[in-house]
Amino acid sequence: MTKRIVIPVGPQHPALKEPASFDVTLKGERVADILVKVGYNHRGIEKGCEGRPYLHCVYLLERVCGICSHSHSTCFIQAVEELANVKIPEKASYIRALFGELERIHSHLLWLGVAAHEIGFDTLLMYSWRDREVVMDLLALLAGNRVNYTVNVIGGVRKDVTEEEKGQILKAVDILEERTKYYVRVATEEVSFIERLSKVGYISYEDALRLGAVGPTGRASGIKRDVRKDDPYAAYEEIDFDIITDDHCDVYGRAVVRVKELLQSYSIIRQLIKKLPQTPLSVNVPKNIPAGEAVSRYEAPRGEDIHYVKSNGTDKPDRVKLRAPTLANVQAVAKMLENGNFADVPIVVAAIDPCFSCTDRMIVAANDVLSEKENRMTWKQLREFSINWYKKNKGVDFSKIKKSDKHI
Amino acid sequence: MKIVDRIVNWARLKSPWVIHFNTGACNACDIEIVASITPTYDLERFGSLLKGTPRHADVLLCSGPVTRQLKDRLVRIYEQMPEPKFVVAVGTCACSGGVFNGCYSMLSGIDEAIPVSMYIPGCPASPDAIIDGVVKLLKEYEKSLKDKK
Ligand code: SF4
């Protein structure tokens, strides 16, 4: 029998840009089991929001993740605007979509570089990061900051796009499109790239669906889902674009989906600029938001982002909860790695484009009582416990309800 | 100064090896650090190289206000680095806690855990600022060497 070895990866590790930790159990060269330990990047943002006025929350939530900062702030603001019952001016929704797409471009180019680095293709890393600077310069020009642009305010946006800036955006998009066509060629013709990524991190359509994969990870397994189409927000209803899917179901598919999405983003930006209406930038929203609850969805570069906001009539939220796309995708990673090679671990993890600063939303207080083994509950015990609790306290009997044997 | 020392000092000044550690940052400062070593900014023209292990590094680039979970790791990484070592706090939140001030699972800044030689503010600190910071740090070090002589 082959001996099992546990290899700890992280929290500080050259392949990880963020503090996360994995215990990889190996059987020979093959991965037998993987234990993800998160929580190193837990900053208590949700709790931090509770003591802050809504406008301050926007700044704080933007810094959930510096790569998809616009996603988090837009998602939160959409929920707040729903609570306050305001409709933002049309121009604001166009500018929000514009920044959303610019962010997707910079995030996908960043991913391409990181993925290339993980497979030892550093030339591509340098290429794609060089091209990424084009869009970073554009963001700096439009918003004044390269990352964390804060164009959103509650009720609209704070910044107009002038005629001159429109020209610059279009020019930059032309340059980027040409470069991206080159990447499409790399992705479809470069044999070493294709060979390295094909059949790595395979997850079938059924498994991806069952484990709830979202964004490019899901779309690369053929799940045709995109919040921009399914539940259009900002200006996406008036924009024409395709949902990119792929049926490779492996890391290669994920790369193809992302590169092709870049091309879609360019076309979206062109349409947005062409149709940009002339309306005011924002409407006034009262400081105190009426009591209520709202959930909002947003297609971040990594997938569907969900924010829940509960207000209590004051100028501070009662509760903010967010579910970042990585949390949905991280479940699928264990499946992807099943029986894979140890050398594939970095690229498979990188292929979902993980963002642990988005994901580290909770910590488990493992106090003395909990850490005693017998006090931990298995899924079955937890179910029994809840059935008994409801029977005793609420007088309802749930034991008749059949348990789905498909649970994970 | 012995000739060996002079060679060592020269090598140190011309090839500061850097290690990057994310201590609870929002990723923005981290991608800016990576951006600063890519072709447009090219920090490597100053001889610096991003290393994977603290034992090879002279400069520790930290971003993020230090989560309580990571504090011990940060101290451990710092202790593993050979002397002379420098710590650069990249970003406002690494300098002072920044936007996260008041969050329960945070310290407010790197200097609460380990001594810091250089602060680079900005949220995020732009690659130019990071390069400027590292170059200034080297200059200061050069000056201190001359003073010692
Ligand atoms: S300084 Fe700002 S951008 Fe940098 S890590 Fe901290 S919050 Fe993020």
Side-chain angles (χ1 to χ4, degrees), chain A residues 43 59-60 62-66 145 147-148, chain B residues 22 24-30 32 63-65 90-95 97-100 120-125:
Chain A
R43 287 159 293 168
Y59 296 109
L60 184 59
E62 224 179 21
R63 282 152 183 87
V64 165
C65 166
N145 205 0
V147 197
N148 293 341
Chain B
N22 176 336
C26 78
N27 270 345
C29 281
D30 309 284
E32 295 295 60
S63 50
V90 181
T92 306
C93 73
C95 299
V99 69
F100 302 115
I120 305 176
C123 190

Side-chain angles (χ1 to χ4, degrees), chain B residues 58-74:
Chain B
D58 306 305
V59 182
L60 175 63
L61 286 182
C62 286
S63 50
V66 190
T67 56
R68 289 185 196 281
Q69 182 93 326
L70 273 172
K71 189 181 163 206
D72 297 343
R73 312 270 165 169
L74 179 64

Side-chain angles (χ1 to χ4, degrees), chain A residues 268-397:
Chain A
I268 295 175
I269 288 178
R270 289 205 183 98
Q271 294 176 46
L272 287 169
I273 296 279
K274 208 165 113 207
K275 290 188 185 166
L276 195 69
Q278 285 309 327
T279 63
L281 284 176
S282 61
V283 290
N284 270 341
V285 179
K287 234 167 76 194
N288 292 347
I289 304 291
E293 297 174 284
V295 171
S296 120
R297 306 203 286 163
Y298 182 100
E299 185 72 23
R302 288 158 180 72
E304 182 189 30
D305 185 20
I306 302 175
H307 279 226
Y308 162 85
V309 182
K310 185 174 172 207
S311 56
N312 53 6
T314 63
D315 63 343
K316 291 174 187 145
D318 205 25
R319 176 84 171 96
V320 177
K321 167 87 199 136
L322 54 109
R323 206 258 7 228
T326 303
L327 188 65
N329 281 334
V330 95
Q331 323 286 339
V333 173
K335 180 82 197 163
M336 291 174 195
L337 283 173
E338 236 171 51
N339 235 344
N341 265 318
F342 182 59
D344 290 342
V345 172
I347 179 66
V348 171
V349 174
I352 66 158
D353 205 355
C355 173
F356 292 103
S357 63
C358 285
T359 311
D360 278 348
R361 286 284 73 81
M362 55 166 201
I363 35 175
V364 181
N367 54 24
D368 296 341
V369 188
L370 255 178
S371 58
E372 276 171 33
K373 227 179 184 169
E374 58 271 26
N375 278 327
R376 285 218 183 126
M377 285 187 185
T378 60
W379 182 254
K380 217 169 127 203
Q381 287 167 332
L382 187 68
R383 195 175 125 86
E384 266 162 28
F385 177 82
S386 68
I387 288 174
N388 288 337
W389 191 89
Y390 273 98
K391 215 188 265 170
K392 214 169 90 198
N393 294 314
K394 302 269 160 150
V396 246
D397 190 5

Side-chain angles (χ1 to χ4, degrees), chain B residues 71-144:
Chain B
K71 189 181 163 206
D72 297 343
R73 312 270 165 169
L74 179 64
V75 173
R76 216 168 112 189
I77 285 173
Y78 178 74
E79 280 167 358
Q80 282 176 6
M81 286 168 63
E83 292 281 354
K85 50 192 166 189
F86 304 98
V87 179
V88 180
V90 181
T92 306
C93 73
C95 299
S96 67
V99 69
F100 302 115
N101 250 328
C103 289
Y104 60 83
S105 66
M106 293 292 212
L107 308 180
S108 44
I110 308 276
D111 50 10
E112 287 197 8
I114 53 174
V116 176
S117 343
M118 178 69 81
Y119 297 88
I120 305 176
C123 190
S126 69
D128 344 11
I130 296 171
I131 293 176
D132 188 45
V134 173
V135 170
K136 274 193 183 136
L137 180 76
L138 292 179
K139 282 222 183 92
E140 281 298 306
Y141 182 54
E142 195 174 3
K143 225 176 90 201
S144 74

Side-chain angles (χ1 to χ4, degrees), chain A residues 62 65 67-79 81-82 88 92-108 139 149 151-152 157 214-216 219 225-236 241 265 268 272 295-308 321-326 328-329 358:
Chain A
E62 224 179 21
C65 166
I67 303 175
C68 36
S69 58
H70 184 71
S71 310
H72 285 294
S73 81
T74 312
C75 199
F76 171 72
I77 282 182
Q78 280 173 2
E81 281 161 356
E82 192 183 320
I88 59 167
S93 63
Y94 271 75
I95 293 180
R96 277 186 192 173
L98 174 69
F99 272 88
E101 289 312 310
L102 288 174
E103 183 169 88
R104 194 177 317 277
I105 295 170
H106 107 68
S107 171
H108 281 3
L139 286 167
Y149 355 90
V151 282
N152 288 325
V157 292
V214 294
R219 290 198 281 274
R225 250 185 228 163
D226 191 322
V227 184
R228 290 177 291 173
K229 270 267 198 273
D230 304 342
D231 181 12
Y233 53 89
Y236 286 108
F241 66 98
S265 291
I268 295 175
L272 287 169
V295 171
S296 120
R297 306 203 286 163
Y298 182 100
E299 185 72 23
R302 288 158 180 72
E304 182 189 30
D305 185 20
I306 302 175
H307 279 226
Y308 162 85
K321 167 87 199 136
L322 54 109
R323 206 258 7 228
T326 303
N329 281 334
C358 285

